Amino acid sequence: MPPKPVSKSAPLPPKEAALFKTLLSQYEARQLKKAIKTADQILKKVGNHGETISMKGLVLTYQGKREEGMELVKKGVLLDLQSHICWHVHGLVHKQDKNYEEALKCYAQALKYDPGNMNILRDTATLQSQLRRFDHLEQTRLTILKIRPSLKQNWVALSVAYGLNNDWPAAQKLLEEFLSMVKEVPSFDSEFSELLLFYLAVLERNGEYEKALTRLEEYTAANKVVDQMHAATVQPRLLQKLERSEDANEKYKVLIARNPDCYDFYRAYFEHNGYSLGDTSSASIDKLTSQLEEFSSQYPHALAPRRILLTITSGDVFEKLVRQYILRGLKKNIPSLFADLKPLYKDESKRSVIQSIVEQYQDELEAATSKKSDDESPTTYVWTLYFLGLHYSAQGEYQRAHDILNKAIEHTPTLPELYTAKARNLKRAGDYIGAAAATDVAAELDGQDRFLNSKAATYRLRMGDVEGAQRLLGLFTKKDAVSPAKDLEDMQSFKFLLEDGEARMRENLLPMALKRFRTIDKVKV
């Protein structure tokens, strides 16, 4: 029979009160066996002390005795309804079970009886962030700051809370107040540098571009910004918003010089100059081509300007450029070459040109092999076959892709990418069992590769082998989790939840499928 609810239990005698403090210390140090003994000592004298019973229940949950521990925690709350410790412990147990809503309710009850408890306030703020309750998070972080205004992290946390709730003016006001109190900070302090960059982002959000630019130049000159690259990307954007076109142009060129393979820098540079990479007008294309060729000659090892040229050119110019690009990629054995060029396949003429170039190169390599020429590396031939396999598969020529990928596997049977390409082709052809078998071979070639095992698990789910998929995923999930599926659910792995839900639907296990889809729906993005 459950105990009768009690509003407030009597205080412990001095000796037991000292033991209770010891119990709290032992719990924090995770000395669980000693904590149980200490709790039993107190309960021998005061058997109905709610806070001790709750603490004992919490310790038991950490020892794996969840049901027994939960019963004691509930009993402790009933014996002392006005104890912040009992309610906090109740919340901690719910949090262990990932029941964040109930945990937050318990923390709210605990704060009624001890509004200034920092541990409870911090736990509350963490859960409010997790549940995306940013309006409540503001209030909690403000309370924490009022209690401990001397700690820098409390100022930063409140400003972030304002930002998460889209209250950027409040974030700016708070940060400026904090920065006015900061006296001396050593040069290149990474933590303070990130705070300054956040402050600049807040100024930009609030439309104070001139102030943000002035502060950025000031901080950079004083060696207060560690991430110089980030600062360099912010500066031309601010100049552009201030309509200082020539200055912005020069800064974008400096960025390109620092990293000539960053597509974003080229895109920002051209957009600033009034050109869009998607603009197909002849005047625009001529200007873009001229500028990109200039960048290509300036930075001969950079691929980005050459790749952008393939997007905007056509005809003979495209054929010449793409031939150089493809042959360079195949000779350097770049696995991602097909994925890089696939967006060009929207244009049928470009697709045909690419196919013709690679098939011609395949014939040249086979002719050289028959003549026993050492002009090209044997691996170049394998990656050429790999490219063609992916190409034919993307065109729906599944048998042709299957044959050429098998040919590549016969040549080099230890390359995992060939098996994953074969699996993708079989999947597209509707052979999920064959696809799963191919990914299993790939995973066996490198058992520690998370990507290969994830692919193998995905194809097993698609063929309906849910248990086999979970066994593979279990190689990389927590060993103490209830199951791999539960751990992936806790980590909000949408890919797994979606694939598993669809697999359950195909097996007509609709309740479990619905559970998976509801889990995705509960997460507010």
Side-chain angles (χ1 to χ4, degrees):
M1 186 174 178
K4 185 177 178 181
V6 178
S7 294
K8 184 69 178 175
S9 62
L12 287 171
K15 182 181 177 182
E16 281 67 33
L19 283 172
F20 186 75
K21 288 181 180 179
T22 303
L23 169 60
L24 294 176
S25 301
Q26 289 168 341
Y27 161 72
E28 288 171 0
R30 293 297 185 268
Q31 297 174 342
L32 303 182
K33 291 183 179 179
K34 290 182 179 179
I36 291 291
K37 290 180 181 179
T38 305
D40 289 337
Q41 274 184 271
I42 298 170
L43 293 174
K44 281 181 182 178
K45 292 285 186 179
V46 189
N48 62 346
H49 188 246
E51 293 178 349
T52 303
I53 291 171
S54 291
M55 284 301 301
K56 181 179 178 180
L58 178 62
V59 173
L60 287 173
T61 63
Y62 278 99
Q63 291 182 326
K65 303 172 183 177
R66 300 200 63 77
E67 290 184 8
E68 183 183 351
M70 193 63 182
E71 285 299 317
L72 287 177
V73 169
K74 290 178 180 177
K75 180 181 177 182
V77 171
L78 289 173
L79 288 170
D80 198 343
L81 291 173
Q82 293 184 14
S83 167
H84 70 277
I85 292 178
C86 291
W87 283 110
H88 190 195
V89 167
H90 202 185
L92 290 173
V93 174
H94 280 307
K95 187 182 176 184
Q96 287 178 10
D97 295 332
K98 307 295 189 293
N99 191 351
Y100 300 130
E101 295 280 356
E102 288 301 316
L104 197 55
K105 290 177 184 177
C106 292
Y107 292 162
Q109 284 293 116
L111 288 172
K112 283 183 182 179
Y113 305 115
D114 190 359
N117 189 295
M118 288 298 294
N119 289 331
I120 303 173
L121 285 167
R122 277 194 294 265
D123 288 346
T124 301
T126 301
L127 284 189
Q128 286 168 341
S129 302
Q130 174 79 15
L131 297 172
R132 295 168 173 80
R133 295 185 180 176
F134 301 132
D135 50 344
H136 296 134
L137 176 64
E138 274 190 21
Q139 297 304 315
T140 304
R141 283 296 174 188
L142 181 58
T143 303
I144 292 173
L145 179 59
K146 286 178 179 177
I147 296 171
R148 297 276 179 84
S150 59
L151 293 179
K152 177 177 68 175
Q153 58 262 38
N154 293 340
W155 291 83
V156 177
L158 179 56
S159 65
V160 170
Y162 282 138
L164 289 171
N165 204 32
N166 287 318
D167 192 354
W168 297 106
Q172 179 182 338
K173 183 180 178 182
L174 184 76
L175 286 169
E176 287 175 347
E177 185 179 347
F178 172 70
L179 291 172
S180 68
M181 296 187 294
V182 176
K183 299 302 179 185
E184 291 184 10
V185 178
S187 299
F188 299 115
D189 182 283
S190 57
E191 194 174 279
F192 189 68
S193 168
E194 291 301 311
L195 174 61
L196 294 177
L197 291 175
F198 177 60
Y199 172 55
L200 294 174
V202 171
L203 288 174
E204 188 177 357
R205 288 267 190 172
N206 289 330
E208 298 195 27
Y209 308 129
E210 188 68 54
K211 187 174 183 179
L213 182 61
T214 303
R215 292 284 186 272
L216 174 61
E217 292 170 349
E218 178 187 312
Y219 298 151
T220 306
N223 293 330
K224 291 181 178 179
V225 176
V226 176
D227 191 348
Q228 296 286 330
M229 193 66 188
H230 182 79
T233 59
V234 171
Q235 191 174 22
R237 189 171 69 238
L238 292 172
L239 288 167
Q240 184 178 347
K241 290 177 178 179
L242 289 168
E243 299 182 356
R244 291 168 56 180
S245 182
E246 291 185 9
D247 292 339
N249 224 32
E250 289 305 313
K251 293 300 180 183
Y252 277 127
K253 285 185 177 180
V254 170
L255 278 179
I256 291 171
R258 290 181 69 170
N259 185 0
D261 268 315
C262 181
Y263 288 88
D264 289 339
F265 295 164
Y266 291 99
R267 190 176 295 109
Y269 172 76
F270 286 123
E271 286 176 359
H272 172 64
N273 286 281
Y275 298 102
S276 170
L277 296 180
D279 189 353
T280 56
S281 64
S282 58
S284 177
I285 288 176
D286 289 343
K287 181 67 176 177
L288 286 169
T289 302
S290 173
Q291 187 69 72
L292 285 165
E293 286 176 346
E294 185 181 327
F295 282 132
S296 296
S297 61
Q298 279 183 310
Y299 314 112
H301 296 293
L303 286 179
R306 291 173 171 76
R307 175 60 185 83
I308 296 170
L309 276 168
L310 300 182
T311 302
I312 63 175
T313 55
S314 58
D316 293 339
V317 176
F318 170 77
E319 184 173 354
K320 177 187 174 183
L321 293 172
V322 80
R323 182 182 297 277
Q324 295 172 353
Y325 195 87
I326 289 172
L327 295 185
R328 177 190 179 280
L330 293 175
K331 288 175 182 179
K332 286 185 173 291
N333 305 159
I334 299 175
S336 60
L337 181 62
F338 176 77
D340 184 16
L341 296 176
K342 190 177 178 183
L344 300 174
Y345 280 37
K346 295 174 184 176
D347 186 325
E348 180 65 24
S349 62
K350 290 185 177 182
R351 184 202 63 77
S352 299
V353 168
I354 290 171
Q355 178 174 328
S356 174
I357 290 170
V358 182
E359 286 177 342
Q360 182 184 347
Y361 189 53
Q362 178 198 0
D363 293 340
E364 290 175 7
L365 289 172
E366 289 176 348
T369 302
S370 64
K371 294 177 183 178
K372 297 183 180 179
S373 171
D374 295 330
D375 292 343
E376 297 292 350
S377 167
T379 56
T380 302
Y381 179 60
V382 175
W383 289 110
T384 303
L385 296 178
Y386 174 73
F387 184 99
L388 283 172
L390 294 175
H391 170 85
Y392 293 139
S393 181
Q395 302 312 302
E397 300 179 56
Y398 304 128
Q399 187 58 53
R400 197 174 180 185
H402 185 70
D403 292 341
I404 205 160
L405 287 168
N406 279 338
K407 189 176 183 180
I409 289 170
E410 286 176 13
H411 185 280
T412 309
T414 55
L415 190 62
E417 284 86 347
L418 297 176
Y419 296 96
T420 56
K422 180 180 178 180
R424 190 181 303 116
N425 182 60
L426 290 169
K427 176 204 71 174
R428 288 172 175 165
D431 183 3
Y432 290 104
I433 295 175
T439 51
D440 283 347
V441 176
E444 287 170 6
L445 288 172
D446 188 353
Q448 300 300 313
D449 192 299
R450 191 184 296 261
F451 170 76
L452 293 176
N453 281 279
S454 297
K455 272 292 179 187
T458 299
Y459 284 135
R460 282 192 172 276
L461 285 170
R462 289 180 182 176
M463 68 173 278
D465 184 8
V466 176
E467 290 184 4
Q470 291 199 21
R471 186 173 62 254
L472 282 170
L473 293 168
L475 297 171
F476 300 99
T477 54
K478 291 180 181 178
K479 302 305 177 187
D480 58 346
V482 177
S483 67
K486 180 61 179 171
D487 189 39
L488 290 165
E489 182 181 332
D490 292 341
M491 291 191 294
Q492 298 179 352
S493 174
F494 287 177
K495 174 71 173 174
F496 166 75
L497 294 169
L498 187 59
E499 291 284 357
D500 191 57
E502 290 176 349
R504 306 287 185 172
M505 280 184 67
R506 288 191 289 270
E507 293 178 5
N508 205 32
L509 299 173
L510 301 183
M512 181 56 75
L514 184 60
K515 180 183 177 183
R516 294 288 187 239
F517 297 143
R518 277 182 172 169
T519 302
I520 297 173
D521 190 53
K522 283 179 184 177
V523 180
K524 302 172 186 175
V525 179

